[in-house]
Amino acid sequence: MANRPVHFIWLLDCSYSMQGEKIARLNYAIREAIPEMRSVAHDNPAAQLLLRTVTFSTTAKWHHQTPVPVDDFTWQDVEVDGMTNLGEALSLVSRELQSPPMPQRALKPVLALVSDGVPTDDWKAGLKAVDATPWGRKAVRVAIAIGHDADRSVLQEFLANPELQPLDANSPKQLAAAIRWASTAAVKAASQPVAGSGDPLAKQPFAPPVLDDDDDDDVW
Amino acid sequence: MVTALVRRWATLAESIQGTGKRQNQDWYAFSGTGSAADPLVLAVADGHGSAAHARSALGARFAVDRFVALATEFGRAADTCHEPGGLARLMNHARNDMPRALVKSWREAALGHWSRHRPVADLGLPEPGPDEKLTLYGTTLIGAVVTPWLLTAWQIGDGDLAVVGHDGTVRRPLAPAEDDLGDETESLCGPQAWRAVRTHWAPVFEEARVPRLLVLSTDGLSKSFASGDGFTEFVGDMDERLATEGFEGVRDALPDWLRHASRYSGDDTTLAAALLHSYAARPRPTAHTEPDPEPGPEARTESEPKRET
């Protein structure tokens, strides 16, 4: 017998525009969110939370390629590189959303996309590849737009649900809150059964939070 | 040429509430002996359980209760269809009319309950549409009816039906060609739900080929296994344990097996089974088996007091 895995994959924009405080805050926010992810996982012992990270810049690559159980997961900081090749990252992830390698008896995977810019490659082809996979279509998707330059329309299309909106992170404080929410609410949503294919709630298993705009941190 | 021999079945069932669940949303029932006048009927249902299906425990109960009534009637009708064309008509009824009748009856039960328990009336909220009301009661269902010459079963949504043949072969005749991914499943509350009902029609033309064991379970059991073959292996092991440990031994161990499975799937876990009486009553070998470290069909453990079935 075995618990059913929940595969959680971060897709992180590591282009040059993230240089400086943004990437530092992103690393900090994810590191700080790990204990909360563990807590959510422990609340649902029937699910086994497995984490991976893809970074995309001039190329897309696995930062954590092998799924790591959340209890064993340690964050290694990501660094900035060059362009914003989101399409390549999505294509990379799509290969993992096939069955196999992803087992049929898994819970819905979570795809958490974080970006501050505009894709510089054929991102639509990458998104099409994800949508063409059985698990990609069922994935719980979360998108965080860092700063006002992020292409929200791309993130909206990634979410593939007009009832969901990308979460805006226009300050370090908002980014931390958004990462915390993406790390926990999406895992909870993926771990809960959604029965009945005609269920209208199936497309909106969780609601994004209202993030406070009024803070003293620098605004991006 | 069909035989018309009276048979009797031994039955057992157990239901375990999922870890962390506030309420067990599964339901099961069986009735009858398997004779022509008193068909054996078994059913299990799994209420969806999420917030959108807040009354699904009731929905599961309605599904099982309505199925037992309809299937008993169906089984009795089977005894009077030996005239020319009767078998074909019964098969058509099983495949087309029964799913519609089942869905209609379940909807009546659910909407009837809603009309008697309407929170909107107290809260001054607008009356929801029928589909919204039915969603509250969403459930899956697996049911089977056995007469001396016929086994027929129906399923909507996930869960499993296993049939162990006279030769020990385990089959899952209602399993979809490909398992659903994740937890999404068809439901009695879905639009045109009768279209999603799968039917297994199996007349028994030879006494020696009567299946010896039927096992119905909600998905809390099958989803505790790492692979789709896990449930089939479980039933095969259970059949072996019935041969070595006897009916009573399996019935005593069943709660621990399901509790163990529920810890992995996290879901309510229910199993109902019927064992051909002549098979259950046959002399048992005196072999002694050492207990394995983990409970399961392959490892008998001492159980807590069993639920009265």
Side-chain angles (χ1 to χ4, degrees):
Chain A
M1 289 182 172
N3 301 121
R4 285 187 293 164
V6 176
H7 287 266
F8 186 108
I9 302 177
W10 288 110
L11 292 102
L12 302 180
D13 182 345
C14 291
S15 60
Y16 273 136
S17 59
M18 289 284 292
Q19 196 165 22
E21 191 184 14
K22 283 183 185 173
I23 201 73
R25 291 286 182 172
L26 177 63
N27 281 314
Y28 180 78
I30 293 182
R31 190 181 295 112
E32 290 294 298
I34 301 300
E36 296 189 41
M37 295 183 93
R38 287 192 186 120
S39 176
V40 171
H42 293 164
D43 285 345
N44 191 354
Q48 185 191 16
L49 181 58
L50 302 168
L51 306 182
R52 273 179 284 185
T53 311
V54 168
T55 60
F56 55 97
S57 49
T58 301
T59 60
K61 57 190 175 194
W62 288 103
H63 187 58
H64 302 93
Q65 182 159 19
T66 305
V68 182
V70 67
D71 282 338
D72 302 332
F73 190 78
T74 53
W75 184 250
Q76 295 119 31
D77 285 355
V78 294
E79 294 176 354
V80 297
D81 181 6
M83 309 293 276
T84 310
N85 284 353
L86 171 61
E88 199 180 330
L90 292 169
S91 296
L92 196 63
V93 167
S94 73
R95 292 198 278 276
E96 298 299 314
L97 297 172
Q98 307 280 354
S99 181
M102 194 169 286
Q104 283 218 313
R105 290 183 180 244
L107 292 160
K108 290 188 291 286
V110 179
L111 304 179
L113 172 59
V114 184
S115 178
D116 79 329
V118 180
T120 49
D121 67 349
D122 186 359
W123 64 273
K124 289 203 174 197
L127 187 54
K128 201 171 168 184
V130 168
D131 288 338
T133 64
W135 280 115
R137 284 193 295 274
K138 290 184 181 296
V140 173
R141 301 188 191 185
V142 179
I144 298 172
I146 301 182
H148 296 289
D149 294 333
D151 191 333
R152 295 185 92 261
S153 65
V154 171
L155 300 181
Q156 183 72 64
E157 206 159 328
F158 166 78
L159 291 173
N161 181 350
E163 294 175 40
L164 295 178
Q165 297 290 321
L167 201 54
D168 292 312
N170 293 320
S171 69
K173 185 176 171 182
Q174 283 188 337
L175 176 62
I179 293 289
R180 204 159 46 239
W181 170 75
S183 304
T184 54
V187 171
K188 285 180 190 167
S191 305
Q192 288 171 356
V194 179
S197 53
D199 182 356
L201 292 176
K203 292 180 179 175
Q204 194 174 12
F206 58 96
V210 177
L211 297 182
D212 186 7
D213 245 344
D214 182 24
D215 63 48
D216 297 329
D217 289 321
D218 290 339
V219 173
W220 285 321
Chain B
M1 188 68 185
V2 299
T3 59
L5 300 175
V6 174
R7 297 185 195 290
R8 298 179 70 84
W9 296 75
T11 52
L12 74 163
E14 186 58 63
S15 186
I16 298 294
Q17 185 169 324
T19 308
K21 299 252 182 174
R22 283 186 299 179
Q23 181 186 8
N24 186 342
Q25 277 128 352
D26 285 1
W27 194 259
Y28 69 84
F30 38 63
S31 72
T33 61
S35 69
D38 189 23
L40 171 69
V41 177
L42 304 94
V44 298
D46 177 359
H48 299 330
S50 56
H53 310 285
R55 299 183 180 188
S56 64
L58 284 167
R61 186 168 183 167
F62 296 153
V64 166
D65 291 349
R66 295 299 177 113
F67 174 82
V68 169
L70 286 167
T72 301
E73 194 180 328
F74 175 89
R76 286 180 183 146
D79 192 40
T80 61
C81 71
H82 298 300
E83 73 279 11
L87 192 61
R89 280 196 295 277
L90 190 68
M91 184 177 71
N92 183 59
H93 182 74
R95 290 182 172 162
N96 298 305
D97 301 337
M98 185 72 174
R100 285 178 181 272
L102 176 63
V103 171
K104 180 172 181 287
S105 184
W106 179 82
R107 290 170 68 105
E108 283 172 357
L111 292 175
H113 181 269
W114 170 269
S115 68
R116 295 188 299 277
H117 303 276
R118 297 168 63 240
V120 292
D122 301 330
L123 300 172
L125 298 171
E127 182 81 2
D131 289 347
E132 287 177 84
K133 295 174 191 170
L134 291 169
T135 296
L136 291 169
Y137 298 87
T139 183
T140 65
L141 174 73
I142 307 172
V145 57
V146 184
T147 77
W149 65 272
L150 180 65
L151 161 63
T152 311
W154 296 265
Q155 177 171 357
I156 181 165
D158 54 22
D160 295 275
L161 165 74
V163 178
V164 181
H166 68 286
D167 58 354
T169 308
V170 183
R171 293 186 304 121
R172 295 168 60 210
L174 289 172
E178 197 170 311
D179 282 340
D180 288 338
L181 295 180
D183 276 327
E184 291 178 14
T185 183
E186 299 287 355
S187 170
L188 271 172
C189 73
Q192 298 189 310
W194 60 88
R195 291 183 188 276
V197 175
R198 310 192 290 280
T199 304
H200 174 55
W201 166 263
V204 179
F205 293 98
E206 193 179 339
E207 183 192 351
R209 292 181 179 273
V210 174
R212 67 190 192 203
L213 176 64
L214 305 177
V215 179
L216 286 67
S217 88
T218 57
D219 70 324
L221 179 56
S222 51
K223 285 185 174 156
S224 68
F225 300 108
S227 78
D229 296 332
F231 178 76
T232 304
E233 290 168 10
F234 175 93
V235 173
D237 290 344
M238 184 175 168
D239 181 56
E240 280 185 27
R241 287 289 299 270
L242 284 163
T244 56
E245 301 289 326
F247 184 79
E248 296 298 329
V250 168
R251 190 170 66 181
D252 289 349
L254 185 61
D256 275 350
W257 298 348
L258 299 190
R259 197 171 290 116
H260 189 66
S262 178
R263 282 203 291 272
Y264 284 94
S265 69
D267 203 357
D268 304 329
T269 304
T270 299
L271 181 147
L275 178 68
L276 198 61
H277 186 67
S278 58
Y279 186 71
R282 73 199 185 291
R284 275 181 276 146
T286 54
H288 174 73
T289 54
E290 292 295 329
D292 290 346
E294 287 192 345
E298 71 283 1
R300 183 183 181 192
T301 60
E302 295 305 315
S303 66
E304 295 174 2
K306 61 183 177 293
R307 177 170 167 172
E308 194 58 51
T309 58

